[in-house]
Amino acid sequence: MKDFLDKDFLLSTETAKKLYHEHAEHMPIIDYHCHLQPKEIYEDKKFRNLTEVWLGAGDRYGDHYKWRALRARGYEEDSISGPWDDRKKFDQFVESMPYFVGNPLYHWSHLEMQRYFDIHDVITPKNADKIWNEANKKLETLTARQMMYKFNVDTVCTTDDPVDDLHYHKLMAEDKTLKVHVRPAFRPDKALNCELSWYRDWIHQLEKVVGFEFKEVSDLTKALAMRIDYFHEMGSRLADHALDVVHYKKASYDEVNAVFKKAMKGEEISFEEQDVYKGYILVFLGKEYNEHGWVQQYHIGALRNNSQKMLKEIGPDTGFDAIEDQVYMSKLSQLLDAQDATDELPKTILYCLNPRDNYALTVLAGCFQKAGMRSRVQVGTAWWFLDQLDGMRQNLECVMQVALISQEVGMLTDSRSFLAYPRHEYYRRLLCEMLGNLVESGQYPKSELETLGQIVEDVCYNNAKKFFGF
């Protein structure tokens, strides 16, 4: 029987251990998609106690994975995401920990205690006082930046709206004491979601930022191009889109403009009109990204705000999203092809939230490669509900079978927490285990172990650095 979370956790063969300890373990991290707040990085946030950094500050902003598990335990919402006493919240989470058996939260939470706080105790109520006191003592000096330094984080890309002034990014660019590169990532979802009630309000915000009124859709695209220029000046090299549903339909400018004007009047926008409008904007943006040498990311398949009751009570992005199951490959193919037809398809990463789509998405990505560029279009790592052992294993196996794992850009956190970096370790250990098994089972020659070690280093760090142009 193996010891719990020992140094060879998830590594069952000598080859896997060699690949991890000699190649993966010490590679820097490029976290190219996360939801950390730039202000907290710049100000080097000091957390008041373990509850704030581990579970959230009580302001409905925190770790959704942990919140969802606690909801399943039947606790009151205010004791999960709300203003309950911090120590009581901590005790509640610790009391629940043994019941997370088989859930990645069990591994992640223990890795967080080990890697950040050097606490190797099993998380149980009998150890609660010791964990609370030792972790809080460490937090007297373990600030947001120090947490990043502990994991050798090279680069972090935050998620930023086109109307953002990037104030804290400016300050960080001038801060010579900051040892991590922090870049903005362009997230123009609000420019696309013409069917939603707040679309017009956001458009008016963008008008104020750029200094002119939008009379037709060409004014909007002009403004978006201006903001892309600004983000580029501020160090951005990638964009991100939450395509809950993929929309695309080839249409004339007049057809697109008619949908834009309907949306600006607050009229109902049909699904087909969304195809027309969103497809046009996405193609426009893709071509802009290509001109700037950016990478575009399509995160596909979230079914959001499933509980309207909880949306009204505590707001969006609080852990009430799920997995969409719409069929979208044909429209996605047309969307990519519309950018590729004029040789303006940028480097692209595709993510699916429904594991059903792994093979279809990976095979489709292979249809849009380009001479002189390695894996111009590729499938990203298992994301959100899938970044657990089974989801990552399926994702990696799929890429190995119908694409090239050697050229993938590796893991991301997609997290709001500074304690999320052990997820990179989780991914790296599984990657080494799977590659090691190929050697141990005679499917890859032992004589090529040096090459395999280089592949591990590339997937962990080097590929992302080159792909994003950092």
Side-chain angles (χ1 to χ4, degrees), residues 14-253:
E14 291 305 312
T15 304
K17 295 171 187 177
K18 181 179 179 68
L19 290 173
Y20 180 74
H21 293 301
E22 295 184 13
H23 297 281
E25 187 172 15
H26 304 293
M27 295 301 292
I29 286 174
I30 293 179
D31 197 24
Y32 52 89
H33 175 64
C34 75
H35 296 276
L36 294 177
Q37 298 184 54
K39 181 177 186 287
E40 293 185 347
I41 302 173
Y42 172 70
E43 295 180 346
D44 196 15
K45 180 178 175 67
K46 185 175 181 180
F47 298 90
R48 63 177 180 257
N49 56 41
L50 180 55
T51 295
E52 183 182 14
V53 69
W54 214 19
L55 302 172
D59 55 0
R60 314 301 185 187
Y61 183 90
D63 193 324
H64 298 177
Y65 296 87
K66 292 168 182 168
W67 291 358
R68 286 171 65 95
L70 289 169
R71 287 172 187 141
R73 295 276 294 155
Y75 295 118
E76 295 293 329
E77 187 60 39
D78 278 352
S79 76
I80 297 170
S81 66
W84 246 40
D85 176 79
D86 285 343
R87 177 60 200 254
K88 289 182 179 178
K89 285 184 178 179
F90 166 80
D91 286 337
Q92 179 175 273
F93 187 59
V94 168
E95 182 273 331
S96 298
M97 187 60 59
Y99 302 99
F100 295 163
V101 57
N103 189 295
L105 277 175
Y106 197 78
H107 293 155
W108 291 343
S109 299
H110 282 87
L111 286 171
E112 288 160 4
M113 287 301 101
Q114 290 187 14
R115 302 297 182 260
Y116 290 95
F117 303 103
D118 197 27
I119 295 173
H120 293 262
D121 299 85
V122 175
I123 302 171
T124 66
K126 69 179 182 181
N127 295 324
D129 287 343
K130 182 174 183 289
I131 293 170
W132 176 259
N133 293 330
E134 289 186 12
N136 287 339
K137 182 66 176 176
K138 291 276 177 57
L139 285 171
E140 293 176 7
T141 55
L142 187 60
T143 60
R145 293 188 186 186
Q146 292 300 322
M147 291 176 186
M148 301 168 90
Y149 301 159
K150 264 186 173 291
F151 276 83
N152 195 17
V153 177
D154 175 285
T155 301
V156 163
C157 298
T158 59
T159 301
D160 306 276
D161 191 284
V163 301
D164 288 350
D165 63 7
L166 305 182
H167 171 69
Y168 289 102
H169 284 279
K170 289 180 187 176
L171 294 176
M172 284 187 283
E174 299 166 357
D175 186 351
K176 304 302 181 185
T177 68
L178 179 60
K179 301 174 186 177
V180 177
H181 301 98
V182 184
R183 297 175 178 268
F186 192 71
R187 179 75 171 247
D189 292 350
K190 292 181 179 178
L192 287 152
N193 294 330
C194 59
E195 78 283 10
L196 298 181
S197 60
W198 42 253
Y199 174 77
R200 286 184 297 169
D201 291 339
W202 184 86
I203 290 292
H204 293 321
Q205 288 182 53
L206 183 59
E207 288 175 331
K208 291 179 181 178
V209 169
V210 297
F212 59 86
E213 182 183 356
F214 302 168
K215 296 182 179 179
E216 54 183 84
V217 75
S218 61
D219 295 319
L220 171 60
T221 54
K222 177 183 175 182
L224 290 171
M226 291 170 61
R227 298 309 291 167
I228 290 170
D229 288 342
Y230 177 66
F231 271 61
H232 190 81
E233 291 172 9
M234 294 303 300
S236 181
R237 294 297 179 269
L238 68 164
D240 179 50
H241 295 267
L243 302 185
D244 300 343
V245 178
V246 178
H247 287 279
Y248 180 80
K249 182 180 180 181
K250 188 174 182 180
S252 68
Y253 177 83

Side-chain angles (χ1 to χ4, degrees), residues 6 72 123 279 331 355 391 436 452:
D6 66 3
I123 302 171
K331 288 184 179 180
L452 202 56

Side-chain angles (χ1 to χ4, degrees), residues 13 62 112 115 125 134-135 146 160 211 256 286 289 300 352 373 393 398 438 452 468:
T13 67
E112 288 160 4
R115 302 297 182 260
E134 289 186 12
Q146 292 300 322
D160 306 276
V256 177
Y289 303 152
I300 303 170
C352 62
M373 190 178 295
R393 189 178 289 110
C398 178
L438 294 178
L452 202 56
F468 295 111

Side-chain angles (χ1 to χ4, degrees), residues 262-280:
K262 278 189 69 175
M264 291 304 293
K265 293 176 183 176
E267 297 178 9
E268 185 175 344
I269 305 299
S270 70
F271 194 86
E272 291 73 19
E273 287 172 324
Q274 291 180 55
D275 283 348
V276 167
Y277 173 82
K278 294 184 180 184
Y280 178 87

